[in-house]
Amino acid sequence: MSEDTTVKRKGISKKKRNMIIAIISVIIIAFVFGINHLTSKHLYNGRIAKNIYIEDIEVSNLTKQEALDIVNAKYPIKNLKLSYNNEEYTINAKDVDLSYNTKQVVDEAYNLTREKSYLSNVMTYMRTKFGGHDLGIKVSYDEDKLDKEIGQVSKQINKKYVDATISVSGGITVKESQTGLKCDDETNKKAIEKAYKDKNYETIALKVDVTQPRVKTEDVKSIDTVLGSYSTTFNQSQYGRNYNIALALDRCDGSVVMPGETFSYNDATGPRIVSNGFKYASVIVAGDYQDAPGGGVCQGSTTLFNAVLLSGLDITQVRNHSKKAAYVPVGRDAMVNDGDSDFKFTNNFDHPVYISAYAGGGVAGAQIYGCSKDRVGVSIKTTKFTYNGLEGAKTYRTITKNGKSETKQIYTAVYNG
C-alpha cells in the first residue's frame, strides 16, 4: 500500500488542506482589509457617522465644527417678545442665562461611534447607518431670573381695580368704578418655557385677566338717602382722645357695605397701637381708667353703632362698657378692644349702604346712606334694671316694614359704675 493511500484513509489530503488554509488566509486578509478600510474611511475619519440627526438637521459626514456651526445657525439664542393690547415687552436671553447644549450634543454625535470598544463602535456604526440615530437639544435657563423678568413685565400691565364710591358733600355724587388687570404669571411662564423648549421665538400673546371691582358703579347708583344718623359730643381739650376718635371714624368713612357683607369696626380701624397712628389717652381697663394707645375709639364705635341701629341694619356683634359712658345713654354704647370685643353689622338690605363718619369741633357723627327702597321705620326702647346692686339696661329695637313690626332685644348691659 502506497503512502498517498494511507493519507487518504486518515483524512483530507495534504494538497486540499493547504488549499483550505490559503482560502481562509485570503478571507482573513480581506476582512482585515475591509475593517481597516471601514475604520479609516468611516469610523475614525474625523467626521460624524452616517444617518445621524440633531433635531431635524442631518450632521452625517460633518466635522464637529461644521456640525456645530450648522446647528447654531439653525437654532440661535434669541430674545423673546411678549405682547398685550398692542404693546410689546422683551425678555432678554442674557437676563435669564438662556442657553442650548449644542456643543455637548455635537460631541455626543461625533463620539457615538468612537467612545466604546472597537467592536461596539463597528456595531453602532452599522446600526446608525441602516436605522439612523436622533439627538435632541436641551435648553437651560435660570428659573429665578425668569420669574423676576416675568414679574417686571406684569408690573407694567397690572392695574388694581377701583371700587365705585360716593361723595355726600353738597349732595350725593357717584365716583365710577374701574376694572383692573392681572397678568396670569403661571400660564405666561409655561408659554415662555414651551417656547424655549421648542426653540420657537414667535411673539407670545400674554394671558391677562380682567379683574372686576367689588363695588360697581351701578351698585352705588342706588344710594339716594340717609337711612340712619347719630352724633355724640366730646371735650375738645383732650387732644389725644379727640385725635383717636377722628382717626378711627376717618378709617370707617367712605366704606361701602354690599348686601350680605359684614362690616367690622376693628378691621376698619386696625389695631390700637402707636405704630398704627393712635395716641395715648384714657381708656377703661378692668374697671379702672388708665392711659393707653387708642383711648377714645369706643366713642367712635358707639356713634357708628347708633347710626346703624337707627338705620335698621342687622347688628351682629356689640358689647357694653363696664362703666357708663358719659356721651351716650345707658344701653346705647359699643365697647371695642383689640381682643374679643368688636362692633359688627351685616347689610341685610337689598342694596349697598355707605358709611359717612367724621369728628371735629367737639362732635363725632355718623350717617348710613342707602337706597330709599330699603328704608324701614325704627324705634328704640331702653328699660333699666338693678342687678346685685349694679345698674343695668336692656335695649330693644322695633323695625316696621310694609306695615308689619318686629321687636328684638339688642343686648343687656350691666354697669359697675
Side-chain angles (χ1 to χ4, degrees), residues 60-181:
S60 306
N61 297 322
L62 299 178
T63 66
K64 288 201 295 185
Q65 188 60 52
E66 289 171 344
L68 187 61
D69 291 342
I70 291 174
V71 172
N72 283 338
K74 178 67 180 292
Y75 300 112
I77 298 296
K78 295 181 180 180
N79 297 333
L80 188 61
K81 298 288 186 181
L82 314 173
S83 70
Y84 174 73
N85 197 25
N86 297 322
E87 294 288 337
E88 277 198 346
Y89 310 87
T90 302
I91 294 183
N92 292 316
K94 65 179 182 179
D95 291 336
V96 297
D97 298 339
L98 180 66
S99 64
Y100 293 128
N101 68 333
T102 51
K103 186 178 185 306
Q104 177 184 343
V105 175
V106 168
D107 287 342
E108 184 179 347
Y110 182 81
N111 293 325
L112 194 64
T113 56
R114 293 172 171 85
E115 61 186 356
K116 297 182 181 179
S117 67
Y118 180 81
L119 181 58
S120 179
N121 290 337
V122 170
M123 293 176 66
T124 301
Y125 172 83
M126 300 304 293
R127 184 174 65 250
T128 58
K129 180 178 180 179
F130 296 103
H133 191 85
D134 297 318
L135 296 170
I137 299 172
K138 293 182 180 179
V139 61
S140 65
Y141 50 87
D142 189 309
E143 190 168 350
D144 290 338
K145 290 183 179 180
L146 178 59
D147 288 340
K148 181 180 178 181
E149 293 301 310
I150 293 172
Q152 292 297 326
V153 172
S154 295
K155 283 182 181 179
Q156 298 178 63
I157 297 173
N158 289 349
K159 182 178 70 172
K160 184 173 176 55
Y161 67 77
V162 177
D163 282 333
T165 186
I166 66 172
S167 171
V168 295
S169 177
I172 300 175
T173 56
V174 174
K175 181 180 179 181
E176 295 191 352
S177 62
Q178 297 178 20
T179 56
L181 297 173

Side-chain angles (χ1 to χ4, degrees), residues 131-233:
H133 191 85
D134 297 318
L135 296 170
I137 299 172
K138 293 182 180 179
V139 61
S140 65
Y141 50 87
D142 189 309
E143 190 168 350
D144 290 338
K145 290 183 179 180
L146 178 59
D147 288 340
K148 181 180 178 181
E149 293 301 310
I150 293 172
Q152 292 297 326
V153 172
S154 295
K155 283 182 181 179
Q156 298 178 63
I157 297 173
N158 289 349
K159 182 178 70 172
K160 184 173 176 55
Y161 67 77
V162 177
D163 282 333
T165 186
I166 66 172
S167 171
V168 295
S169 177
I172 300 175
T173 56
V174 174
K175 181 180 179 181
E176 295 191 352
S177 62
Q178 297 178 20
T179 56
L181 297 173
K182 177 67 174 175
C183 287
D184 188 338
D185 288 349
E186 184 177 352
T187 297
N188 293 332
K189 181 179 179 180
K190 288 180 179 178
I192 292 169
E193 290 178 324
K194 186 176 187 303
Y196 285 159
K197 181 180 179 181
D198 295 343
K199 296 165 282 295
N200 179 1
Y201 290 92
E202 293 182 3
T203 300
I204 294 176
L206 291 169
K207 185 176 186 301
V208 180
D209 297 322
V210 176
T211 57
Q212 297 297 329
R214 185 183 66 89
V215 183
K216 298 180 180 179
T217 302
E218 54 268 28
D219 294 327
V220 297
K221 281 186 175 179
S222 65
I223 298 174
D224 57 7
T225 190
V226 176
L227 300 178
S229 179
Y230 198 80
S231 64
T232 59
T233 59

Side-chain angles (χ1 to χ4, degrees), residues 334-351:
M335 187 272 287
V336 294
N337 60 35
D338 288 337
D340 58 352
S341 294
D342 193 4
F343 165 57
K344 295 181 180 181
F345 72 88
T346 299
N347 181 0
N348 55 311
F349 294 155
D350 294 330
H351 303 86

